[in-house]
């Protein structure tokens, strides 16, 4: 089986310093890094081609597939499989082509700071959802 070409990395506010050494090495070895402005600022010392989230966002999968064959890293906030871009990518690209590198999620961080058990917290998101769902 071939090595995955796509790595989806959760990154926190502590940037590269907060990543496990193996994950940091993956980011540092990337040829292409896809993410938002914030993600690029958190990893700015890494020399790789930088690509912003596409607009419209629905173009993401085609954008990623255009880089197949290169070492590609998608930077996401926290845990890329919890209300984040990782699940969306994983539904469209064969999971054997992807390695996920989670970080503490925003929900975990908020619960820890508040002293709340995450098991007792209802988690919802409006990120990427229609505004009408907030009502």
């Amino acid at each position: 089986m071939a090595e995955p070409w796509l790595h989806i990395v959760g990154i926190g506010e502590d940037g590269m310093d907060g990543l496990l050494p193996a994950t940091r090495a993956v980011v540092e070895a990337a040829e292409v890094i896809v993410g938002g402005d914030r993600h690029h600022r958190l990893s700015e010392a890494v020399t790789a081609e930088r690509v912003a989230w596409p607009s419209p966002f629905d173009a993401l999968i085609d954008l990623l597939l255009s880089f197949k064959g290169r070492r590609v890293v998608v930077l996401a906030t926290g845990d890329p499989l919890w209300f984040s871009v990782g699940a969306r990518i994983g539904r469209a690209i064969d999971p054997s082509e992807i390695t996920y590198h989670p970080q503490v999620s925003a929900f975990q961080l908020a619960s820890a700071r508040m002293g709340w058990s995450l098991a007792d917290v209802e988690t919802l998101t409006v990120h990427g959802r229609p505004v009408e769902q907030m009502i």
Side-chain angles (χ1 to χ4, degrees):
M1 180 192 296
E3 287 285 315
W5 59 274
L6 180 59
H7 294 264
I8 304 176
V9 175
I11 193 166
E13 291 302 317
D14 49 0
M16 298 292 289
D17 291 340
L19 298 179
L20 294 171
T23 302
R24 184 181 181 112
V26 165
V27 176
E28 289 172 341
E31 294 176 80
V32 178
I33 298 177
V34 179
D37 290 341
R38 180 179 153 282
H39 302 120
H40 290 302
R41 282 192 306 274
L42 291 169
S43 62
E44 64 190 357
V46 177
T47 57
E49 178 182 344
R50 299 301 179 131
V51 178
W53 294 124
S55 180
F57 197 72
D58 289 339
L60 177 65
I61 301 305
D62 288 337
L63 174 71
L64 292 174
L65 289 172
S66 76
F67 296 126
K68 189 172 180 174
R70 298 176 72 188
R71 290 185 313 272
V72 180
V73 167
V74 172
L75 292 178
T77 301
D79 183 345
L81 289 169
W82 189 319
F83 293 120
S84 191
V85 70
R88 182 176 187 168
I89 294 169
R91 286 190 295 271
I93 296 177
D94 187 324
S96 69
E97 299 180 45
I98 304 169
T99 300
Y100 294 95
H101 305 266
Q103 184 66 277
V104 173
S105 74
F107 293 101
Q108 292 167 312
L109 187 57
S111 291
R113 289 195 176 154
M114 299 297 293
W116 298 340
S117 167
L118 191 54
D120 296 328
V121 174
E122 182 176 358
T123 56
L124 305 170
T125 184
V126 295
H127 181 74
R129 309 292 195 286
V131 173
E132 296 78 23
Q133 287 184 347
M134 290 191 306
I135 300 171

